[in-house]
Each structure stands twice: as C-alpha cells, then as structure tokens.
Amino acid sequence: YVSLQVQYIDGTKIESSSNRYTFVWRGSVEKNKAKLETKIQDVLTEIEGQIKQDQSELAKEHCSKNIDSLELKEKVTQLNKHRADLPKPTAKQLKQLEDEHLPRLQKYEQQLETLGTRNSYSKTDPDATFMRMKEDHMKNGQLKPAYNTQISTENQFITHYTIAQKSTDTTTLINHLETFEQTYAQQSKEVVADAGYGSEENYLYLLEREITPYVKFNYFHMEQKRAWKNNPFLQHNLYYNKLFDYILCPNGEKLPNIGSSTKYTTTGFASKIHLYQASNCLKCSLKELCNKAAENRTVSMNHRLVQIKQHIRELLNSERGKYHRSKRPVEVEAVFGQLKSNNKFTRFTLRGLEMVEIEFGLMALAHNLRKLTKNREKSTLNNNFHPKKETDKRKMTNYKSKTRFNCKNF
C-alpha cells in the first residue's frame, strides 16, 4: 500500500491539555523587563552616588542599560560590602534591589528562554504555543494552547509525522522532510502540499534535492480567474524587460531599477528584492486605477521567486500535477477527518513535547492498523465474489441500474 515515493503533506492544530487561561506573551515579558531594567539602573546610579570616591571605585563603573541577572548579582555583592557606609534609605533600596528586582529579572529571563523564537506559551505546558483554532467554542477568535501537527500520507496511511510549536506551516516543511529521510534512509521523489507551504526557501530546498514540488503558492487559484488576468495594473501582470531591467506600466512609462534590498525570514533565509519606481505618476490619468499612494508607484520584485513560481505553475497544471491536486484533499484531509471527527481526537491528554509526540504516534499507529484491516477486508470480499449463475449477474445489473435511476431522480 505504501511506496514512500510520494508524500501528501498537511498540518492541523490539536489543542494541548494545559490550562487555556495561564499564558505568557513575549510582548508583555519584553515590555516589563525593559521597565525593570530602567528602574534597576536608576537605583544603582543613586546607590553608587552615595558611596565615597576614596572608599570604592564602584562610582566609576557603569552598568549597561540591558543588564542581566548575573551582572546585577555581582553588582549587588560588591555594593553589600559598603552597606555600613550607606544611609538607611539607600541601604533599604539595596535590599529591595536584592530581594525584589533581582528575582523578577531572573523570572523574565527564564520566560524569554522558554519562549525561544515563539511569541507565547502556556504556564501549565510550556511547550504548547497559543494558536488560533478552527474549533472556537466562544466564537470570538480565542487563542488556545496547541501543537501544530504535520503528517505525510500515502493511500491514506500516515507515513510520517512531526509536532511543531509554531502555528504557520511554512517553517515546518524542511524539518518534516529531514526527519522523514532520517527515519527511512531515503527521500520521496514527489511532495504534494497546499499553499501554506509555498515559500522561496521551501521551493529551493525541494528543487536542490531533486524532489518534484507540487506545492501551490498563495495566489495560484486567484490568477486563474478572469478578473485577475484582465487587470493590467496588478504587479504580476506588469511587463518586465529582462534585457534592460525595467518594468513597463500600462500607460507606457518605464519603471527603472532604483536599487535592491535583502529581506530575511524568521528562519534567517535571505531573499533579494529589486525595487523599481515610476517618476510621473502624479500627472498620469490612470493613477487612481494604478496606485492610490500619494507618491510615485514603487514595485518590488523577487526575480528568483518569479522564475521558481513559473516552474511550479507548469508542474501544477501538468497532468501529473492535476492528478496530485485532486488527490491531496482525499489523502490528508480524510486522515484528519478520521482522527479528529470520527475518533474525537481534538485535544491531547499528555503534556510536554516529548509526551505529545508519543501520544500522536500511538494515534497514527492505530489509524494505520485500522486502515490496513479495512483494506484487507475489501480485498477478501472482492476475491470471494464470483457469481455462479447468469441470473445472479442479471440481478446485479438490475440492482445497479435501479440504483443509478433512483440517484438521478433524487
């Protein structure tokens, strides 16, 4: 049933078993940490001002604005040696610095370390990230602690899975494929996925490893519509002259290259963006249709990505691409429907990334065994069905015709 030569990949968010209302947000932590560091700096400056120059050289030292807990701890230890020389109000500030500010700073640092590259986590399950779920029982777009589960399927068997801590599917594909190769000591020849995985970084990764990518980009279906094709002002429909490196607007004006910039993704991937700018938009009669900005229109273009998308477009519109596009929803979505709807697996019962991986692995194993049993039952029924008499064949034919007739009338 499984050849491992093709992967139909998709992801779904499954809620964590943690408390939905015990959360930590990166924005709040960074904001409170910055306020605390400013307060600590003010207190240190005031304390050091009270220490006499001939007793200590601490007054000459200055803490960095972004002080960490280790630096603050060393500073407090040095200041404690001169506590007897300090006035009572200043000594009280030093004690507050040691008993209150230092533990709070350590707490914020620990929270940022737990967050890593994420923007949130749950206090009762620090590995879970708050994500927007399809199952919204309060109907208000509430974020819930969850894991982004990625699976590969073939003939509706789960051939591989990974658990991601980020809500976007774009950044999960490379790790998913690498762990697939580590598991099986081979890589699939074809990868089929939806537009959530269509990025320049993912396309390059697949093409460099000679994996045929049947992976949509975000506006693949939109560009098939007549309104998209007939709109000459869309950036994707503007004419580009590769020889002289300029873009031609619908009114015939040339947009020359005014420079380039490098754009980095959250994973550190660099994309080179070329900029083209018009010079006479304010006097153009088509300005309201073309550009609503107060200044001249600027067009940014990633030439490498444009070429890659043209290749992807040809793959997706080929006969093999159409076959995979029609089969992908039947493959992955059916598996998720079986797991989440039929088996009611919409929330993990274990906590922590390691335990969640084990729990989903057991669910995937059970799904594959159930699928294998069902396929074998169908094969047995098909092999054992042999009409012995011509009357049986006529009965079967009449039954099928009646069924078609009834369906058509219905």
Side-chain angles (χ1 to χ4, degrees):
Y1 299 109
V2 173
S3 67
L4 299 180
Q5 297 304 306
V6 60
Q7 293 184 62
Y8 294 90
I9 300 175
D10 204 355
T12 188
K13 299 176 182 65
I14 300 179
E15 189 177 352
S16 168
S17 65
S18 59
N19 192 314
R20 295 170 177 169
Y21 308 103
T22 56
F23 41 76
V24 175
W25 299 100
R26 175 181 292 278
S28 299
V29 174
E30 290 178 345
K31 180 180 178 181
N32 293 331
K33 184 173 180 288
K35 288 182 179 179
L36 180 62
E37 287 173 346
T38 303
K39 186 181 295 185
I40 289 172
Q41 186 63 39
D42 294 341
V43 173
L44 286 174
T45 303
E46 187 174 348
I47 293 174
E48 290 174 354
Q50 300 293 331
I51 300 176
K52 297 179 181 180
Q53 293 281 351
D54 56 350
Q55 289 183 336
S56 174
E57 294 186 356
L58 289 173
K60 297 179 181 179
E61 300 177 6
H62 297 282
C63 289
S64 59
K65 186 176 181 181
N66 297 326
I67 186 171
D68 58 28
S69 59
L70 291 177
E71 185 181 356
L72 178 59
K73 194 173 183 179
E74 292 177 1
K75 201 76 173 174
V76 169
T77 302
Q78 293 177 0
L79 291 172
N80 276 330
K81 298 177 181 178
H82 306 277
R83 179 173 288 189
D85 300 332
L86 297 175
K88 286 187 177 181
T90 307
K92 186 177 180 181
Q93 284 183 320
L94 180 58
K95 183 173 177 58
Q96 184 182 20
L97 198 67
E98 184 176 9
D99 296 343
E100 296 182 17
H101 297 343
L102 179 58
R104 280 181 60 195
L105 185 60
Q106 291 173 337
K107 174 187 172 184
Y108 292 145
E109 290 176 348
Q110 179 61 42
Q111 289 176 338
L112 289 174
E113 183 180 353
T114 303
L115 282 166
T117 58
R118 297 179 293 164
N119 290 322
S120 63
Y121 72 85
S122 171
K123 291 181 179 179
T124 51
D125 184 2
D127 289 339
T129 307
F130 278 80
M131 305 178 186
R132 199 172 302 280
M133 312 284 289
K134 291 182 179 178
E135 301 82 9
D136 187 7
H137 66 286
M138 297 184 69
K139 306 297 181 183
N140 60 355
Q142 180 191 20
L143 300 176
K144 299 178 186 177
Y147 293 93
N148 189 1
T149 307
Q150 303 289 314
I151 66 170
S152 298
T153 67
E154 185 179 356
N155 289 327
Q156 297 187 9
F157 286 92
I158 300 176
T159 56
H160 185 56
Y161 74 92
T162 52
I163 308 296
Q165 294 176 281
K166 289 190 175 181
S167 59
T168 55
D169 293 333
T170 311
T171 58
T172 64
L173 181 63
I174 294 178
N175 175 68
H176 187 79
L177 294 175
E178 287 178 348
T179 52
F180 179 94
E181 188 171 1
Q182 292 171 7
T183 302
Y184 295 107
Q186 68 177 46
Q187 188 57 269
S188 302
K189 295 181 180 179
E190 297 175 316
V191 167
V192 187
D194 62 10
Y197 301 87
S199 69
E200 183 182 5
E201 182 179 7
N202 291 341
Y203 287 141
L204 284 175
Y205 179 88
L206 293 167
L207 293 172
E208 287 172 357
R209 286 155 183 79
E210 297 182 352
I211 304 171
T212 307
Y214 297 99
V215 181
K216 300 175 186 176
F217 42 88
N218 51 3
Y219 55 87
F220 173 74
H221 289 292
M222 292 178 61
E223 68 180 14
Q224 313 295 329
K225 297 180 180 180
R226 188 180 303 172
W228 178 284
K229 295 178 179 179
N230 295 336
N231 189 347
F233 301 101
L234 287 176
Q235 176 179 332
H236 305 283
N237 294 333
L238 296 176
Y239 170 76
Y240 171 68
N241 189 306
K242 185 177 181 180
L243 180 62
F244 297 101
D245 194 20
Y246 67 83
I247 292 176
L248 192 66
C249 80
N251 200 26
E253 182 183 355
K254 295 180 180 179
L255 280 67
N257 190 332
I258 61 172
S260 61
S261 62
T262 303
K263 183 179 179 181
Y264 294 91
T265 63
T266 55
T267 60
F269 180 79
S271 298
K272 191 173 183 180
I273 308 298
H274 295 266
L275 302 176
Y276 301 85
Q277 189 176 56
S279 58
N280 197 27
C281 287
L282 300 179
K283 298 180 180 180
C284 180
S285 59
L286 303 176
K287 183 182 182 305
E288 293 185 0
L289 299 173
C290 178
N291 181 26
K292 296 183 180 180
E295 302 176 353
N296 292 323
R297 181 175 182 178
T298 301
V299 177
S300 58
M301 182 175 290
N302 185 339
H303 294 301
R304 182 171 63 180
L305 185 57
V306 169
Q307 293 177 356
I308 292 174
K309 285 183 176 179
Q310 179 58 32
H311 176 62
I312 300 299
R313 190 179 292 111
E314 293 173 358
L315 287 174
L316 292 171
N317 289 324
S318 65
E319 291 300 320
R320 185 69 174 168
K322 292 177 181 178
Y323 167 77
H324 282 313
R325 283 164 51 193
S326 62
K327 192 175 180 182
R328 191 201 66 82
V330 180
E331 278 283 340
V332 193
E333 301 297 344
V335 174
F336 283 142
Q338 180 70 26
L339 289 173
K340 300 182 73 174
S341 181
N342 296 351
N343 299 336
K344 309 300 180 184
F345 183 56
T346 57
R347 191 177 187 185
F348 288 106
T349 58
L350 302 179
R351 296 182 181 181
L353 184 60
E354 183 179 358
M355 301 304 294
V356 162
E357 287 179 346
I358 294 174
E359 183 175 1
F360 189 84
L362 292 172
M363 293 298 297
L365 180 63
H367 168 83
N368 286 348
L369 291 173
R370 193 159 40 236
K371 186 71 178 175
L372 181 63
T373 304
K374 196 70 174 177
N375 287 354
R376 286 181 175 175
E377 288 178 356
K378 289 181 179 179
S379 299
T380 304
L381 288 173
N382 291 334
N383 293 333
N384 292 338
F385 179 72
H386 296 289
K388 297 180 180 180
K389 297 181 181 179
E390 189 68 25
T391 54
D392 293 335
K393 293 183 180 179
R394 287 199 301 270
K395 288 180 180 179
M396 290 297 298
T397 304
N398 292 336
Y399 174 74
K400 290 180 180 178
S401 63
K402 288 179 181 178
T403 305
R404 286 197 297 269
F405 174 76
N406 292 335
C407 292
K408 185 180 290 186
N409 288 345
F410 179 79

